[in-house]
Amino acid sequence: MTLTPNRSLIDVDRDHLIHPVTSFRGHEARGATLLQSGKGMWLTDMDGKELLDAFAGLWCVNVGYGQESIVEAAAEQMRRLPYATGYFHFGSEPTVRLAEKLVDLSPQGLDHVYFTLGGSDAVDSAIRYIVHYHNAIGRPDKKQFIALERGYHGSSTTGSGLTALANFHRNFDLPRPWQHHIPSPYPYRSDLSDDAAIIARSVQQLKDKVAELGADNVAAFFCEPIQGSGGVIVPPTGWLRAMRDACTELDILFVVDEVITGFGRTGPLFACEEEGVSPDLMTLAKGLTSGYVPMGAVLLSDKVYQGIADGAAPELAIGHGMTYSGHPVSAAVGLEVLRLYTDGGILANGRSVARRFDAGMKAIAQHPMVGDTRGRGLLGAIELVADKATKERFDPALKIPDRLFARGYRNGVIFRSFPDNIIGLAPALCASDGEMDEIFARIHRTLDDLLEEADIRAAIG
Ligand code: PLP
């Protein structure tokens, strides 16, 4: 095939580039929206249109776009040493320093770090290490995994079966027989109104599932502290601690997936901190490098690490590796991003601007299309309903999510538009109060615009 330099990039994209989690035919019909540059909270598209990014890319650019010190850190590391393998006992300074920093900053007991390229392979690595661990300690029957409905744990061959979203299972022959799910603690759609009762029910559902599978057969329970891709489902405070305690009691490993919630997204550096929870394994990505370069990690407790170490003969390798594990450029970026969060004041700014975020959420809850607003820190959702009293959802035939996203874009704001008519919000932590107010003003205008459309107005109860 000959390359045609003058062909529209959108046509070339349509012909050759496969986009993540899209309908192939749907994308061909719609075409791509190409972005050109970013600065702080703002993106500029190929047509020069400026947009406020209320989703930090894909809930990852927590420090905002255009942080020069990160660019410098990457360039400096590329000049000095662009690659160092972690194989054959090699390593490099930034990777070792970043591992030390993560152990220092993460919940107590997570003493060992394996670096990946993103979140999916962090989850995949966690599953592999857990399987290895149980074989190594002489409990080979412990192979069943439990996660939450509406959970997202990436799209690796194994992790996507712990994910519980229909698109990730359909035609992929998932979940596997060893992958199980219990209901999501979804307060807005629960028949229980009491937080303690919601927590108690989740604990009971986990115990029931473990009893059904046999405690001696269950390896681990995976969860997100706040379910992101499932629609930003915020469990009651105390839920994470209760699930940790239940896993200890049940003698199964507790794995917390902080790929979204990590690095200040909910206020503290890790959501686990808020409830004093220390998991057996923790997965990280996104905010680790703030999306500037790819990197993820799985942190292992000393118990899991030592179990694997003691179970293998010293001359045998633990056969898990990736060419780019602990990539020095990603690690150099990670170190600078961590500096910006802490010494650079970005975590503190995020906590401060979260008050404006909260106020914006409270105000928008009054809109006739809004059934629920929920969130923690700078992670939130606005759930739209046809009827506030009954919580009835809009008819899917109205195609609200596509119309919502398009209207928002026209109004100069980007947010996540989930299939259940849920708006997902995860603005960068560097936002000013004024920018946060402007995000909500634009979302408000977007909802007003939708409400002016006859079919949507007619659908409101
Ligand atoms: N785990 C969670 C909780 C996520 O939200 C994601 C991505 O959104 C992943 C894992 C997968 O991460 P990645 O897309 O970097 O592979």
Side-chain angles (χ1 to χ4, degrees):
M1 175 177 251
T2 51
L3 297 177
T4 47
N6 293 327
R7 219 152 61 91
S8 140
L9 275 179
I10 293 177
D11 286 338
V12 178
D13 170 278
R14 191 177 265 124
D15 289 349
H16 300 303
L17 190 63
I18 298 175
H19 287 248
V21 197
T22 47
S23 146
F24 287 9
R25 293 284 177 248
H27 182 74
E28 288 164 12
R30 182 196 180 280
T33 304
L34 300 179
L35 300 169
Q36 186 158 255
S37 61
K39 184 79 192 152
M41 299 296 293
W42 296 84
L43 284 168
T44 305
D45 73 11
M46 284 289 279
D47 299 322
K49 183 176 173 63
E50 296 201 331
L51 301 128
L52 265 171
D53 182 1
F55 202 60
L58 194 65
W59 18 44
C60 56
V61 188
N62 292 2
V63 299
Y65 301 98
Q67 294 278 4
E68 271 306 314
S69 65
I70 300 177
V71 179
E72 284 306 316
E76 164 61 16
Q77 184 59 43
M78 275 196 193
R79 261 181 229 112
R80 190 175 333 127
L81 182 66
Y83 176 78
T85 183
Y87 283 63
F88 324 126
H89 314 284
F90 282 120
S92 66
E93 179 171 352
T95 310
V96 178
R97 295 240 176 267
L98 184 60
E100 180 189 36
K101 261 220 139 65
L102 284 178
V103 166
D104 184 41
L105 295 170
S106 64
Q108 216 191 350
L110 294 170
D111 292 341
H112 308 274
V113 184
Y114 176 77
F115 284 112
T116 61
L117 282 69
S120 293
D121 49 347
V123 170
D124 189 68
S125 298
I127 295 170
R128 295 203 79 212
Y129 282 134
I130 291 169
V131 168
H132 201 291
Y133 167 72
H134 283 121
N135 286 328
I137 64 167
R139 303 189 71 184
D141 292 336
K142 279 175 110 39
K143 295 288 162 57
Q144 305 294 311
F145 286 70
I146 303 171
L148 288 175
E149 288 168 9
R150 299 184 82 99
Y152 186 64
H153 299 290
S155 60
S156 74
T157 307
T158 54
S160 50
L162 293 181
T163 289
L165 302 175
N167 287 340
F168 291 81
H169 292 178
R170 193 183 330 104
N171 281 354
F172 285 109
D173 296 346
L174 289 168
R176 308 242 178 255
W178 48 271
Q179 296 178 318
H180 312 272
H181 298 96
I182 59 170
S184 158
Y186 189 172
Y188 179 59
R189 300 251 169 223
S190 175
D191 58 328
L192 303 170
S193 54
D194 177 38
D195 284 357
I198 292 174
I199 294 171
R201 184 189 276 172
S202 266
V203 167
Q204 196 53 51
Q205 284 162 333
L206 180 63
K207 289 185 175 173
D208 290 350
K209 182 57 80 179
V210 171
E212 176 195 324
L213 298 167
D216 289 343
N217 301 322
V218 179
F221 171 66
F222 272 68
C223 66
E224 300 155 85
I226 290 175
Q227 295 189 280
S229 302
V232 190
I233 313 293
V234 188
T237 302
W239 181 89
L240 199 68
R241 157 61 46 203
M243 298 311 269
R244 157 80 276 182
D245 292 346
C247 287
T248 306
E249 190 190 319
L250 292 163
D251 188 25
I252 63 178
L253 296 175
F254 182 58
V255 188
V256 176
D257 187 342
E258 289 237 28
V259 165
I260 288 176
T261 53
F263 303 103
R265 176 54 56 207
T266 70
L269 197 60
F270 300 108
C272 277
E273 270 176 45
E274 215 151 272
E275 300 192 21
V277 162
S278 186
D280 295 299
L281 294 95
M282 184 159 96
T283 48
L284 302 172
K286 296 193 187 278
L288 171 58
T289 49
S290 228
Y292 278 61
V293 289
M295 188 176 231
V298 53
L299 273 59
L300 271 56
S301 67
D302 200 48
K303 172 178 93 171
V304 172
Y305 173 86
Q306 298 301 344
I308 293 173
D310 288 341
E315 68 277 13
L316 293 180
I318 312 296
H320 186 66
M322 295 156 191
T323 301
Y324 300 121
S325 174
H327 195 286
V329 177
S330 300
V333 166
L335 283 168
E336 177 55 18
V337 166
L338 279 176
R339 194 196 66 75
L340 287 173
Y341 287 139
T342 52
D343 301 350
I346 286 187
L347 277 189
N349 186 76
R351 280 193 288 265
S352 161
V353 79
R355 288 194 279 273
R356 288 300 250 270
F357 184 80
D358 247 14
M361 292 290 257
K362 281 203 178 74
I364 214 155
Q366 307 308 315
H367 193 278
M369 292 179 75
V370 175
D372 186 36
T373 58
R374 49 183 180 260
R376 196 176 295 158
L378 290 178
L379 179 60
I382 303 168
E383 182 158 344
L384 307 183
V385 288
D387 189 320
K388 276 183 186 258
T390 64
K391 305 182 181 177
E392 185 193 337
R393 293 189 167 101
F394 283 102
D395 182 348
L398 288 169
K399 296 195 179 333
I400 299 264
D402 287 350
R403 293 164 72 178
L404 187 62
F405 186 83
R407 279 282 177 186
Y409 199 89
R410 211 178 305 166
N411 288 326
V413 61
I414 295 179
F415 45 73
R416 181 77 174 266
S417 192
F418 288 110
D420 283 352
N421 310 320
I422 297 169
I423 297 175
L425 296 175
L429 279 54
C430 65
S432 67
D433 284 352
E435 286 168 328
M436 194 58 77
D437 293 348
E438 186 57 29
I439 284 174
F440 280 96
R442 291 179 185 203
I443 295 173
H444 214 110
R445 199 175 315 143
T446 300
L447 295 182
D448 286 346
D449 288 350
L450 280 184
L451 202 51
E452 276 181 20
E453 294 182 17
D455 57 344
I456 294 178
R457 204 170 50 247
I460 292 277

